[in-house]
């Protein structure tokens, strides 16, 4: 865990940051304009923007010198002082926070679904902030509302959801999943039914349970179905559960399939699940927060075959593709259902000249233009670049699997870029101690893996989406893990 201490007050001048000191060149002493001048580019503002970009560029360019997880995070002074700070002081404070930040660009940063950011998406995010448009209403974001709608339609159609398909951006997959279930409930006319249930795999993401709680449903509304040896929802067991549900005359709110489970990257059998849902008239939501982007390329689409059969689909380009956070989409075969469910009327706005205002297509009101960074990032990569990102991630997972296979481990993988493992036959207590100690030894080698509790036992998990991770990191992981298995388990 990173230590936390507060920086001495500015007057104390003790502002030395830990790690490599990145000197901040002086910025013109003129005070910074608080708001952009509408008639001229203030030179001090231009310099501030350039210096901030350079500071960020240096942070990226020195990532390999700092560990994935910083040892110390120094908190700058938090409260605004009586007199506002000048540009140089602002950048200095910013540097303190940057020095204590998680370091996703380090080649050993393999713990979570948080890769280095796609560079064009970072620039687009800065520009989106600068435009300060609001996706709530079209008159507050004329070009961006249309861009979002067109981009969601392109993505939905490319992923196979059909010609009319489209959707909306959301700040994260948890929100996309929540909105999907709210739409499914509305579509089924099940508002106010506390006996409505959602079936999902036992390995479904925690955000599904959270969504049901937010929707005011009791815990038993979440009905987990056991998974097979590959971590996939067992379709015959779901068929049985749906039959029972029909016999009891109780409503099914939705079936949630996962395209990429969080610990091992398993993909539920989407085709058979869609068929089953059709025959029962059940809404199929696919949580493709991790895996859905595979559907964008010919070469990897078969990993998530059947994606297009969903009624609704969550996609998180912030994960495998590295679009700057947050970037998530909720896509629907019939996007009109969003407005049917969420429209409130916006009496203080001019009418929408498209279909519906952004603020009436989801739970969020005021919303940043997250579509901009996704759009620019995808344009930067191109279809070949997207394929190359996926190729690299899958190749690294294969290689790590090959290196770990000879060891005495239980390996949990799937078709995506995740690999989890724990000593074969270990007890929960042994797995807990082994994973804590081994994670520590890996961290000492600047290799950061995560330590999920899965099926009652701790595992180490590598997420191989970091494009900077190479053969030397993979071999180092295998070496540390092999050494850890030489000692008897505690
Ligand atoms: C990450 C994840 C989510 C939640 O996405 P957030 O953006 O973190 O809210 C949902 N489902 C799956 C399978 C995930 O991996």
């Amino acid at each position: 865990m990173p230590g936390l201490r507060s920086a001495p007050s500015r007057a104390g001048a003790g502002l030395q940051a830990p790690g490599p000191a990145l000197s901040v060149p002086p910025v013109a002493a003129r005070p910074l304009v608080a708001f952009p001048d509408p008639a001229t580019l203030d030179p001090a503002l231009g310099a501030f923007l350039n210096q901030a970009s350079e500071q960020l560029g240096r942070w990226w360019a020195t990532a390999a010198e700092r560990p994935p997880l910083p040892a110390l995070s120094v908190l700058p002074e938090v409260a605004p002082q009586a007199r506002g700070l000048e540009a140089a002081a602002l950048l200095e404070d910013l540097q303190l926070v940057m020095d204590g930040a998680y370091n996703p660009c380090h080649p050993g940063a393999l713990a979570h679904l948080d890769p280095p950011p796609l560079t064009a998406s970072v620039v687009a995010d800065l520009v989106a902030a600068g435009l300060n448009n609001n996706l709530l209403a079209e008159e507050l974001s004329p070009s961006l509302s249309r861009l979002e709608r067109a981009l969601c339609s392109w993505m939905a159609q490319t992923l196979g959801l059909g010609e009319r398909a489209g959707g909306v951006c959301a700040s994260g997959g948890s929100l996309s999943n929540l909105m999907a279930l709210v739409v499914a409930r509305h579509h089924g006319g099940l508002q106010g039914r506390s006996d409505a249930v959602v079936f999902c795999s036992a390995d479904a993401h925690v955000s599904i349970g959270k969504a049901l709680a937010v929707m005011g449903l009791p815990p038993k509304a979440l009905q987990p179905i056991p998974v097979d040896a590959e971590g996939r929802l067992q379709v015959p067991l779901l068929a049985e559960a749906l039959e029972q549900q029909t016999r009891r005359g109780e409503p099914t709110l939705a079936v949630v399939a996962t395209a990429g489970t969080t610990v091992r990257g398993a993909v539920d059998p989407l085709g058979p699940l869609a068929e089953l849902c059709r025959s029962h008239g059940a809404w199929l939501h696919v949580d493709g927060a991790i895996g859905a982007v595979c559907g964008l390329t010919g070469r990897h689409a078969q990993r998530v075959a059947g994606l297009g059969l969903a009624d609704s689909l969550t996609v998180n380009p912030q994960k495998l593709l590295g679009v700057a956070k947050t970037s998530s989409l909720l896509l629907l075969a019939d996007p009109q259902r969003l407005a049917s469910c969420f429209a409130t009327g916006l009496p203080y706005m001019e009418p929408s000249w498209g279909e519906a205002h952004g603020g009436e297509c989801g739970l969020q009101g005021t919303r940043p233009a997250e579509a901009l960074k996704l759009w620019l990032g995808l344009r930067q990569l191109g279809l070949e670049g997207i394929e190359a990102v996926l190729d690299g991630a899958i190749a690294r997972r294969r290689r790590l699997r090959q290196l770990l296979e000879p060891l005495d481990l239980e390996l949990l993988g799937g078709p995506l870029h995740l690999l989890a493992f724990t000593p074969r036959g270990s007890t929960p207590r042994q797995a807990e101690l082994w994973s804590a100690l081994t994670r520590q030894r890996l961290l000492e080698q600047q290799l950061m893996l995560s330590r999920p509790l899965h099926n009652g036992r701790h595992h180490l998990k590598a997420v191989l989406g970091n494009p900077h991770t190479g053969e030397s990191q993979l071999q180092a992981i295998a070496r540390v893990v092999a050494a850890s298995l030489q000692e008897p388990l505690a």
Side-chain angles (χ1 to χ4, degrees):
M1 287 296 285
L4 263 182
R5 69 182 170 85
S6 287
S9 76
R10 184 159 293 284
L15 286 162
Q16 205 52 49
L22 302 178
S23 64
V24 179
V27 173
R30 272 185 58 198
L32 191 62
V33 290
F35 299 96
D37 187 318
T40 178
L41 173 57
D42 178 76
L45 174 57
F48 184 55
L49 285 169
N50 288 335
Q51 306 251 339
S53 307
E54 268 172 43
Q55 195 164 318
L56 178 61
R58 276 197 304 277
W59 188 79
W60 284 335
T62 52
E65 298 164 17
R66 284 171 280 120
L69 189 60
L72 187 69
S73 121
V74 179
L75 195 64
E77 214 179 319
V78 168
Q81 296 175 355
R83 168 161 292 172
L85 299 183
E86 288 181 359
L90 294 175
L91 292 176
E92 224 175 286
D93 274 1
L94 212 44
Q95 187 65 50
L96 279 179
V97 180
M98 292 165 74
D99 288 336
Y102 173 66
N103 181 13
C105 297
H106 190 283
L110 297 158
H112 298 285
L113 290 138
D114 293 76
L118 209 53
T119 48
S121 77
V122 174
V123 170
D125 212 13
L126 174 67
V127 171
L131 298 177
N132 208 21
N133 276 214
N134 188 344
L135 270 285
L136 170 68
E138 287 173 4
E139 63 182 329
L140 293 173
S141 54
S143 56
L144 290 161
S145 287
R146 295 180 59 210
L147 182 76
E148 174 178 296
R149 206 175 287 136
L151 184 64
C152 288
S153 296
W154 172 79
M155 180 79 84
Q157 289 160 16
T158 306
L159 294 180
L161 290 167
E163 268 172 32
R164 288 185 310 143
V168 68
C169 295
S171 297
S174 301
L175 188 54
S176 294
N177 283 341
L178 170 60
M179 295 196 300
L181 294 174
V182 171
V183 170
R185 175 163 74 177
H186 183 267
H187 173 69
L190 295 171
Q191 303 95 312
R193 288 288 297 265
S194 60
D195 57 348
V197 301
V198 165
F199 295 102
C200 60
S201 105
D203 287 353
H205 192 259
V206 291
S207 57
I208 304 300
K210 192 199 269 184
L212 297 182
V214 170
M215 291 162 73
L217 292 166
K220 68 171 172 37
L222 184 70
Q223 293 284 322
I225 305 287
V227 296
D228 64 15
E230 304 298 316
R232 297 171 302 201
L233 189 152
Q234 296 191 47
V235 181
L237 297 183
L238 174 64
E240 221 168 277
L242 285 168
E243 292 295 342
Q244 273 182 26
Q245 195 70 0
T246 310
R247 272 201 298 278
R248 284 197 299 258
E250 286 176 0
T252 298
L253 194 159
V255 170
V256 175
T258 309
T261 56
T262 310
V263 172
R264 62 182 297 173
V267 176
D268 291 337
L270 303 176
L273 283 172
E275 205 173 304
L276 189 58
C277 286
R278 292 262 144 93
S279 69
H280 285 268
W283 182 282
L284 175 63
H285 174 64
V286 175
D287 180 358
I290 298 177
V293 293
C294 288
L296 294 175
T297 73
R299 198 178 309 160
H300 295 285
Q302 91 288 351
R303 299 181 193 282
V304 290
L307 208 57
L309 302 170
D311 292 297
S312 56
L313 170 65
T314 291
V315 188
N316 266 21
Q318 72 193 13
K319 288 188 167 171
L320 191 39
L321 291 183
V323 175
K325 286 183 247 311
T326 52
S327 180
S328 178
L329 307 175
L330 172 61
L331 305 176
L332 284 94
D334 179 2
Q336 307 288 344
R337 297 225 159 100
L338 287 169
S340 328
C341 177
F342 294 113
T344 51
L346 290 177
Y348 33 80
M349 294 290 172
E350 287 301 307
S352 151
W353 56 79
E355 287 126 63
H357 284 303
E360 296 191 274
C361 292
L363 282 166
Q364 288 174 278
T366 291
R367 195 152 61 76
E370 293 181 277
L372 197 67
K373 59 192 163 186
L374 174 58
W375 166 71
L376 209 66
L378 293 177
R379 300 272 294 171
Q380 173 186 26
L381 284 175
L383 296 174
E384 290 172 8
I386 294 171
E387 196 156 75
V389 168
L390 300 178
D391 287 349
I394 301 290
R396 286 185 291 274
R397 188 264 295 154
R398 285 214 178 104
R399 176 64 179 143
L400 183 61
R401 185 168 191 124
Q402 192 181 40
L403 289 166
L404 296 182
E405 218 132 46
L407 305 180
D408 204 17
L409 293 168
E410 292 170 35
L411 292 172
L412 298 182
L416 303 181
H417 64 307
L418 290 86
L419 190 61
F421 49 91
T422 198
R424 200 188 304 278
S426 52
T427 65
R429 181 73 186 141
Q430 286 171 330
E432 184 183 359
L433 294 172
W434 169 84
S435 60
L437 188 66
T438 309
R439 176 172 139 113
Q440 193 47 44
R441 294 200 173 141
L442 287 163
L443 279 173
E444 285 159 16
Q445 308 287 314
Q446 313 227 326
L447 298 162
M448 183 174 169
L449 271 61
S450 56
R451 203 166 73 88
L453 183 61
H454 182 71
N455 285 342
R457 276 190 308 164
H458 283 87
H459 291 65
L460 286 178
K461 173 177 112 174
V463 181
L464 296 146
N466 184 338
H468 305 309
T469 303
E471 177 69 13
S472 64
Q473 281 81 30
L474 301 180
Q475 287 198 11
I477 292 172
R479 257 197 320 273
V480 173
V481 172
S484 77
L485 296 170
Q486 296 302 308
E487 305 158 28
L489 292 173

